[in-house]
Amino acid sequence: MQKTITFPSEVSGMAINGSCQSTVMFEPAKPDTGIVFIRNDLLEKPEVECLPNYAFVNKRWSSLMKDGVYIEHTEHVLAAIAALEITNIRIHLNCPYLPVISDFSSWGFMQALLEAVPITQTAPKKFIAVKEPLWVLDSFETKGGNRYDSLLLGLPSTNFSITYLLNYPDKEIPTQLAHFSTAKDDQSLSEFAKARSFILDSEYDSMMQLFGENIKKCLMIPSDKTKLRWSNEIARHKVLDLVGDLMLLGKPIKGHFIGFRSGHSANIDMVRLLNR
């Protein structure tokens, strides 16, 4: 069945680019509303529906844009919504940017949504299902001059699951594997909500220009690798990002996704394939 929240709730933090304080207010919504963002800072309070036609990658995060109205940094809030199986919600913003909270993870959003008390509605849940194998294949070159392939597969399945393999031989990141499934005998998605984002020490100066003071909330690799919450925390965060990006479809999904060095760009390409 579809699900919304019982009470409004809000959460605040620094905008992802460090430009201002961002506050998000979650509001209950009727069945079949879907996920809708509202820009309260603009005169007509325009609404941007969470739909694949509006999705794009901006810098190092995922976003929505409709008729020139932007909703920036959607992946972590959408991952929290997916983890709690919420299908109908209205999300009010005081600026274009979702806030960075709980060290670039989804945990703070989950806490705010739990305080709002998720509730089942009477309408049946509508899924998007992977009907045939889909893939996004890409390649990229690192600053060290090494070229690597990345791959994201989408396979038919009766539930929703993700397997992610992180492997960068020329970087000081150990190979990591993370997996979750909605099957009862596997880890629940909520166990991934505290996994934090990361940057490489060598990226610090360039990322400071993107994130501002928020950079202090990122894991620094390799200097922070002994402080990981789990030995595969970086791969776990990649799973979290993929879950949030897939929610740009606007509906829950059934399929098994396998990522190998993939990121936001491949995730959005997969969303577009699923929307055909």
Side-chain angles (χ1 to χ4, degrees), residues 72-198:
E72 302 271 11
H73 176 217
T74 56
E75 59 269 26
H76 298 156
V77 70
L78 291 179
I81 289 169
L84 296 173
E85 300 182 11
I86 294 169
T87 51
N88 302 302
I89 192 166
R90 292 169 61 81
I91 306 170
H92 296 264
L93 292 82
N94 70 333
C95 70
Y97 302 96
L98 275 295
V100 173
I101 54 177
S102 53
D103 298 328
F104 271 96
S105 76
S106 292
W107 183 241
F109 293 118
M110 278 197 67
Q111 288 179 307
L113 290 167
L114 286 169
E115 290 173 3
V117 188
I119 185 172
T120 301
Q121 298 174 293
T122 56
K125 188 182 293 185
K126 300 174 182 178
F127 291 90
I128 292 177
V130 181
K131 298 178 180 178
E132 61 182 3
L134 301 170
W135 60 90
V136 177
L137 179 64
D138 201 356
S139 63
F140 59 92
E141 186 173 316
T142 67
K143 289 185 177 180
N146 295 317
R147 179 163 290 277
Y148 291 117
D149 292 328
S150 69
L151 175 67
L152 180 59
L153 290 172
L155 302 173
S157 176
T158 56
N159 53 59
F160 179 39
S161 58
I162 293 176
T163 303
Y164 191 92
L165 177 63
L166 184 143
N167 176 259
Y168 296 104
D170 70 330
K171 298 180 180 179
E172 296 185 59
I173 305 176
T175 297
Q176 298 183 12
L177 178 70
H179 173 79
F180 102 93
S181 174
T182 55
K184 293 182 180 179
D185 58 344
D186 283 8
Q187 290 176 306
S188 71
L189 183 53
S190 61
E191 295 180 45
F192 289 72
K194 292 183 180 180
R196 298 163 291 176
S197 188
F198 70 97

